Amino acid sequence: MYYPAKITGSEKLSKTLYLKRIKILSDGIKEPLPFQFLLAWVPGVDLLPMSVADFSNGEVVIIVKERGEGSRALIRLHSDFLGVMGFYGAGFKPWGYKRILFVAGGSGIAPFFYLARKACEEGVSVDLVWGVRGGDELFNPRSLLNTVNKDTAIYVATEDCSTGYCGRASMLASRVIHENPGKWDLVIASGPQGLLREVCSLLSDTGIELYVNTETLVKCGVGACGSCVLKPHPLLLCKHGPVFKCRDIEGFLKGGGSA
Ligand code: FES
């Protein structure tokens, strides 16, 4: 579905991350499931797949990372009109679990906030491990967490060792899990392919269910063009994902990318 929309709020969160509030100018839009995503159409520039960081009363929140002309054009929009298409993907509702550890790299943190709010409504707790390359990419995740998420623990890792744990998010996740045996029964990793691969590998001996929120090229969003196939698996990110069990997409995760 295509919806006309308007930017109603903008905020620079850190050196590279920006928050945008987008009001859908159409009635009847269905609330997305956690991990469903949208395509933001910046007129005359690009169509950008974006995670839903929050959704309420027809207003969707996204977190944009500055990394190319399309994202820079989206960041430059203030009180402007744009197009929103979605919501796409099967989403993921992990409500049968007791406590989830969300392991994010960089802008992979975006879907955490919507997941955390919806999970809390279902009686499921969510904690966060968030890793970035440099401390200037950080913002305070608690500032975007809903007030219902009072018991959420947050662990931060920086690769430049400026704040928190010195190293990658995958290494910090492994450490906190081994220091707190039995605390979490589900891990969801979100971010660059290298991070997903490391989380699946480092935590494979924990007995915890391991899922990853994948990213790849998305064009149509509806399973028609084949651009989002997770080779060598016959799985489409936009139709079957974007969240998959580690063991179901091992070949894709081995295919490359950096942490
Ligand atoms: S983007 Fe998934 S099939 Fe086209």
Side-chain angles (χ1 to χ4, degrees), residues 37 39 216-229 236-239:
F37 62 95
L39 293 174
T216 191
L217 182 66
V218 170
K219 287 186 178 169
C220 72
V222 294
C225 73
S227 65
C228 69
V229 67
L236 296 172
L237 180 151
C238 74
K239 188 173 174 188

Side-chain angles (χ1 to χ4, degrees), residues 51-54 61-63 102 104 106-115 190:
S51 295
V52 173
D54 203 1
V61 175
I62 59 173
I63 295 175
F102 191 96
S107 58
I109 193 174
F112 163 72
F113 302 101
Y114 189 50
L115 170 73
S190 175

